[in-house]
Amino acid sequence: MKKNILFIIAAAVLYSCDFKRSSESNVNDATGTEQTEDSIAQTSFTGTYYGTLPAADCEGIKTELVINADSTYSLTSEYLGKQGEPFLESGVYHLVNNNLIELVTPSSGEKTYYKIKNDSTILLTNSAGEEPGAELLNEYMLRK
């Protein structure tokens, strides 16, 4: 329970509207199928992911993340219920342990982590790839 609370607090701080910007196998929660690190490495995780992430002081953060094959990414975040232009960010990414995408913003050095769940779903996590509790998994997922 403490882990879930800490994760929620960390996510809320990182993704609030005032924000300026390994294991050997993974289970696909939707289908229950197991993917090994080798199969994830062979899976094409590049593409465009969409979703709405939770936020501390607005309705949510409409998110579009484009993962390119050349190790670059672009991230568009729109804070729902708030006026203003969407926040745009781009940079490079690294694949950690064949299942964790580390986004790096060159201007600030800031890092954000997404765990590859399957070939069409990624999950916002902390730097160790730890997932939120089961009741929050869908809140932090982006899908192709």
Side-chain angles (χ1 to χ4, degrees):
M1 184 66 179
K2 286 183 181 181
K3 237 185 205 181
N4 289 340
I5 291 170
L6 290 174
F7 185 85
I8 292 169
I9 291 170
V13 168
L14 288 174
Y15 290 98
S16 71
C17 290
D18 295 327
F19 180 64
K20 291 186 179 177
R21 288 278 188 204
S22 279
S23 63
E24 284 297 312
S25 66
N26 294 308
V27 175
N28 173 352
D29 296 320
T31 63
T33 58
E34 187 173 328
Q35 291 188 322
T36 65
E37 285 186 25
D38 290 337
S39 67
I40 289 173
Q42 295 170 0
T43 300
S44 176
F45 60 89
T46 59
T48 304
Y49 295 86
Y50 303 93
T52 301
L53 299 173
D57 60 353
C58 66
E59 299 169 19
I61 305 168
K62 184 177 176 182
T63 304
E64 177 182 299
L65 175 60
V66 180
I67 304 289
N68 300 307
D70 66 355
S71 296
T72 63
Y73 76 90
S74 62
L75 176 66
T76 305
S77 303
E78 180 181 348
Y79 297 93
L80 302 175
K82 298 273 186 170
Q83 291 188 357
E85 295 295 315
F87 179 73
L88 305 174
E89 175 183 306
S90 61
V92 297
Y93 71 85
H94 308 283
L95 190 59
V96 179
N97 294 330
N98 291 327
N99 69 347
L100 192 63
I101 303 168
E102 176 186 65
L103 306 180
V104 181
T105 306
S107 60
S108 66
E110 178 183 330
K111 297 178 181 179
T112 306
Y113 297 87
Y114 286 90
K115 188 173 193 177
I116 301 169
K117 297 300 287 180
N118 58 44
D119 62 350
S120 63
T121 306
I122 58 176
L123 176 69
L124 180 65
T125 67
N126 63 16
S127 61
E130 294 173 343
E131 300 178 7
E135 67 279 358
L136 297 174
L137 280 179
N138 285 329
E139 301 291 321
Y140 291 91
M141 283 195 183
L142 300 179
R143 293 179 173 86
K144 282 186 183 178

